[in-house]
Amino acid sequence: MKRLSVLLSAVLLLCFSSWLVAAPMLEEVFVTAQKREQSAQDVPIAITAMSAEAMRAAGVTDIADLTDINPSISFDVGQSSQNSSLKIRGIGTVGNGRTFEGAVGVFIDGVYRSRSGMALQDMNDIGSLELLRGPQGTLFGKNTVAGALSLNSTRPNFDGVSGNAEVLLGNYNKELISLALNLPLTDRHAIRVSAISNRQDGFLRSRQQDGRTYNQTDRLSAKVQWLFDISDSLESHLILDYSTADAGCCWGSVQVLSGPLTDDLIYYANLRGLDFYTDRNAEDQRLTNNNSRSSELRDDMGLSWTLNWALENMDIKSVTGLRRFKDEQVNGDADFGPAHILQLNEPTQIDFFSQEINLSTSFGPVDLIAGLYFSKEEYSSYRNFVADTDANNYASFRTTMAIPELLGLSVDTAPLCRPPGMTLGCTTLLSGLLGPLGIGAFDLFPAGGEKIIEDNYYQDATSAAAFVHAQADLGAGWTAIAGLRYSRDEKEGGYDQLYWYDSLLSRLIIESRFVNGMRVTDAQTMDVVEMVLGGQVNKEIVSLINAHGGTAVGLTGKDANLIRARKLEVVNRSPELERPEIIDIGHVGEVASVNVDVIDMLTRSNVIPVIAPIGVGPDGASYNINADLVAGKVAEAMKAEKLILLTNVSGLKSKEDKVLTGLTAQQVNDLIEDGTIHGGMLPKIRCALSAVENGVRTSHIIDGRVAHACLLEIFTDEGVGTLISRN
């Protein structure tokens, strides 16, 4: 996935007077809202400014406290801090998308934090706070459509040794200790060291873990600053900081499931002797069903280096930022119930570099600032779902519930499934069903904390910008502002998933091998394929169709001899071989015939058949058949008008990596011969080719990731993939 965008913004404002919200004890407030130090009275934008003293007096210790001092700002904490969102005037980023950047830009010591959650830390030796309301895109960039929050550390000084210490105690065993020490080394060197420890018990209590609490605070941060006056006109300010947190963040007041399996989960929890708390309106709203000892671990480290060069007629400033942010949710309760079914582990790492250079000058009543900006971000996230100790017993329980449903019986089998250790239970019932597969009833999911689903996402983003901003005092309280910013952003990312049945293949020591795009399938692998494709995947598709208003039924090719199969032999024609090599790839078949009567019967009743690509041989053996080949043969047998194959690529590509939008059968054969079409694309192309050569009018290979892909391919001239037609 690659995204390239160009942003051009311009603003022209005429402002009368200035707007300032500041702590009442401050007679004059100096801010850097326009990239240079100014009196707040001269800044014609809506701004809230606070000094360190004002923040202490208001009890502001982190960003989440800002709501208490200004109602226009809110900080919404998600289930993890990386999903948190800062909003101004109700405008901000919503949702838990891992790639979302905030609509409110957060800047700490001039360095941009690409995710609001990266700023969820204590105000360690922060000397000033500025909240800019409204769009700030000209000076601060694209992620400030709602506003910007700027925090600046208390600078070292040369006035002598000084320091401060503060201890704050509160309810829930609140302990906040902060220390700061200023040390002038020479008349040109000064350092400042600070640290803050923040601890508090959680306010959300678990009913399942003897009163264990969530949303506790356990944070520690440290900062070292070095101020160096290189010359009378050149100043260097280096800041190194580190913070860590170990917290049970960020659970809601009551976790209540709502979905098709809610009743089953409550029933199962009751069988396990667990109390499932479901009342949203109960007296005590500080209860949760969480059973795991989940926590969120955060590490944030980096530096900011500022160079200020004061020339006779202008000031030049360079701000360099380098950061690494790591966040990991550990042992999260992904099922939100009292049973131990599913856990979530989600580690994330963000590496960020930024460089900005700007100059500011004045021409009479006109103040001008111009600059260049560059940033690069590497983002990686892994979301792993792990089967917990109850996973297999619950899967067995759900299977026994499904048995009478499949047989058309209304028999309640739930009491047959008891907690692990009971003699009568799901194990007894399922041993006969799963025994031939060599899998015990409690071994449907991998044990020992193995992942059953793994989502991997990475994103590399670069941004470059040039900007200019001018402000002119027109007199009589009027100010004119003109600004222009050009931005170029490029993002490239990727996403992949690993499912539990892939892990199952590994656990059974079954190596996944492919020959000409076909999976080699031995007897063991065939058992797994039949269980996964004919069971889990097929039923998931059927359920989705039914949930969206359709009527679907799941089948395999073995049902009513729907797909008759014969063993497939793969021929390898290598130049080094004297004659073609015939390769045995096991229980892999090809379609011999299709029982059209079964499909006709279902379609006449407006029922959508969902067919798992498993065929039956003359001897009753099961054969794994490529799904595309089955689709093509069914289309041929049904004398279909069109065959549409959905895939996860943009279409058939040439050797120059361009999508071939329209091909004849002869052109496809030529591309196969010259090697343009190879590997996993071969079966898909061959089934599409065979279909058009045997009665199907057109075959379409389209990108299923595109919204409304089928409609676009059929009803537009350009389409979204490759169309293959008869010669």
Side-chain angles (χ1 to χ4, degrees), residues 648-667:
N648 62 348
V649 297
S650 54
L652 178 61
K653 293 185 177 181
S654 67
K655 290 183 177 180
E656 292 76 26
D657 203 38
K658 294 182 178 180
V659 176
L660 303 172
T661 57
L663 296 171
T664 65
Q666 183 58 51
Q667 289 173 321

Side-chain angles (χ1 to χ4, degrees), residues 124-177:
N124 182 13
D125 206 20
I126 296 298
S128 64
L129 175 153
E130 299 169 20
L131 177 63
L132 316 179
R133 297 187 293 279
Q136 309 293 326
T138 304
L139 287 173
F140 290 92
K142 57 186 174 59
N143 300 115
T144 56
V145 66
L149 175 66
S150 177
L151 305 174
N152 296 291
S153 299
T154 302
R155 287 166 53 91
N157 60 74
F158 306 103
D159 298 335
V161 178
S162 61
N164 61 270
E166 182 178 6
V167 177
L168 176 65
L169 304 176
N171 59 347
Y172 294 101
N173 295 317
K174 173 76 171 183
E175 296 179 359
L176 190 148
I177 303 173

Side-chain angles (χ1 to χ4, degrees), residues 256-561:
V256 181
L257 278 175
S258 180
L261 296 180
T262 301
D263 292 339
D264 282 353
L265 286 168
I266 294 174
Y267 196 174
Y268 178 79
N270 291 333
L271 289 173
R272 293 273 283 107
L274 303 171
D275 184 15
F276 202 118
Y277 182 73
T278 60
D279 189 0
R280 287 184 182 272
N281 300 313
E283 266 183 39
D284 191 352
Q285 291 288 303
R286 294 193 298 273
L287 296 175
T288 178
N289 290 305
N290 296 326
N291 57 57
S292 61
R293 294 197 170 273
S294 62
S295 61
E296 184 184 9
L297 308 177
R298 293 200 309 274
D299 287 291
D300 186 19
M301 65 197 76
L303 65 85
S304 66
W305 183 29
T306 303
L307 289 171
N308 288 300
W309 191 12
L311 301 178
E312 184 176 352
N313 297 318
M314 71 175 63
D315 294 330
I316 299 175
K317 176 187 278 188
S318 168
V319 181
T320 305
L322 183 64
R323 305 211 60 82
R324 168 166 288 181
F325 176 80
K326 299 173 70 174
D327 179 276
E328 183 175 6
Q329 186 175 351
V330 182
N331 297 329
D333 189 5
D335 56 77
F336 301 108
H340 297 258
I341 299 175
L342 199 61
Q343 287 188 0
L344 170 66
N345 296 290
E346 187 174 5
T348 297
Q349 179 170 311
I350 302 174
D351 293 317
F352 184 82
F353 168 80
S354 67
Q355 176 64 58
E356 179 177 331
I357 299 176
N358 64 64
L359 62 89
S360 57
T361 186
S362 298
F363 304 96
V366 179
D367 294 329
L368 178 71
I369 183 169
L372 300 173
Y373 176 83
F374 174 82
S375 69
K376 180 176 178 59
E377 180 187 69
E378 296 178 358
Y379 180 101
S380 60
S381 179
Y382 308 91
R383 183 178 294 157
N384 307 323
F385 291 93
V386 178
D388 211 339
T389 54
D390 274 323
N392 286 308
N393 199 50
Y394 174 73
S396 302
F397 160 79
R398 192 66 190 86
T399 303
T400 59
M401 291 287 290
I403 291 174
E405 298 172 3
L406 293 174
L407 297 176
L409 304 175
S410 59
V411 178
D412 186 4
T413 63
L416 295 175
C417 276
R418 306 292 174 83
M422 302 289 288
T423 56
L424 182 63
C426 300
T427 303
T428 303
L429 183 61
L430 291 182
S431 58
L433 297 175
L434 300 177
L437 302 180
I439 302 172
F442 289 89
D443 296 328
L444 291 171
F445 296 106
E450 278 191 66
K451 298 178 284 246
I452 60 174
I453 300 177
E454 178 180 320
D455 293 338
N456 302 325
Y457 182 83
Y458 76 91
Q459 177 181 279
D460 293 337
T462 59
S463 179
F467 60 90
V468 61
H469 181 90
Q471 177 177 319
D473 184 3
L474 304 181
W478 288 91
T479 301
I481 299 176
L484 180 68
R485 188 182 186 97
Y486 175 85
S487 298
R488 182 182 178 94
D489 300 321
E490 185 173 345
K491 292 185 178 180
E492 183 175 355
Y495 177 83
D496 63 79
Q497 286 185 320
L498 174 69
Y499 292 93
W500 71 271
Y501 46 82
D502 294 320
S503 176
L504 179 62
L505 290 175
S506 301
R507 184 163 56 92
L508 295 175
I509 319 177
I510 300 174
E511 181 184 2
S512 294
R513 294 190 299 116
F514 293 85
V515 176
N516 291 346
M518 300 292 189
R519 184 191 292 270
V520 178
T521 308
D522 59 16
Q524 266 189 311
T525 305
M526 189 64 230
D527 290 337
V528 176
V529 168
E530 195 163 359
M531 179 177 64
V532 173
L533 295 183
Q536 183 192 22
V537 176
N538 189 279
K539 301 310 176 189
E540 287 179 357
I541 297 172
V542 169
S543 180
L544 286 170
I545 294 174
N546 292 335
H548 287 80
T551 302
V553 64
L555 304 167
T556 72
K558 298 174 67 174
D559 295 318
N561 289 327

Side-chain angles (χ1 to χ4, degrees), residues 243-256:
S243 65
T244 183
D246 183 355
C249 179
C250 304
W251 301 97
S253 60
V254 180
Q255 302 288 356
V256 181

Side-chain angles (χ1 to χ4, degrees), residues 93 97 99-103 112 114-115 142-143 377 459 461 491:
T93 304
T99 63
F100 290 174
E101 298 182 42
Y112 173 63
S114 61
R115 304 294 187 278
K142 57 186 174 59
N143 300 115
E377 180 187 69
Q459 177 181 279
K491 292 185 178 180

Side-chain angles (χ1 to χ4, degrees), residues 557-688:
K558 298 174 67 174
D559 295 318
N561 289 327
L562 176 60
I563 307 294
R564 282 285 191 178
R566 58 176 172 262
K567 187 178 181 64
L568 177 65
E569 294 182 339
V570 176
V571 180
N572 183 18
R573 294 183 173 88
S574 300
E576 63 271 13
L577 299 175
E578 294 182 0
R579 58 184 180 182
E581 178 187 14
I582 299 176
I583 303 174
D584 187 355
I585 57 175
H587 287 255
V588 178
E590 58 184 347
V591 178
S593 64
V594 178
N595 187 352
V596 181
D597 293 339
V598 176
I599 301 175
D600 285 336
M601 178 185 68
L602 294 171
T603 54
R604 283 197 300 269
S605 302
N606 293 322
V607 176
I608 303 169
V610 180
I611 305 169
I614 300 169
V616 59
D619 57 352
S622 299
Y623 285 93
N624 180 22
I625 309 175
N626 182 278
D628 297 322
L629 298 180
V630 172
K633 291 300 180 183
V634 170
E636 294 176 24
M638 298 293 297
K639 297 180 172 54
E641 177 75 13
K642 297 179 183 292
L643 169 65
I644 299 176
L645 302 174
L646 297 178
T647 184
N648 62 348
V649 297
S650 54
L652 178 61
K653 293 185 177 181
S654 67
K655 290 183 177 180
E656 292 76 26
D657 203 38
K658 294 182 178 180
V659 176
L660 303 172
T661 57
L663 296 171
T664 65
Q666 183 58 51
Q667 289 173 321
V668 172
N669 281 317
D670 293 341
L671 292 172
I672 295 175
E673 286 297 322
D674 67 14
T676 300
I677 305 174
H678 61 277
M681 186 59 76
L682 273 174
K684 198 176 300 294
I685 292 295
R686 281 173 174 162
C687 86

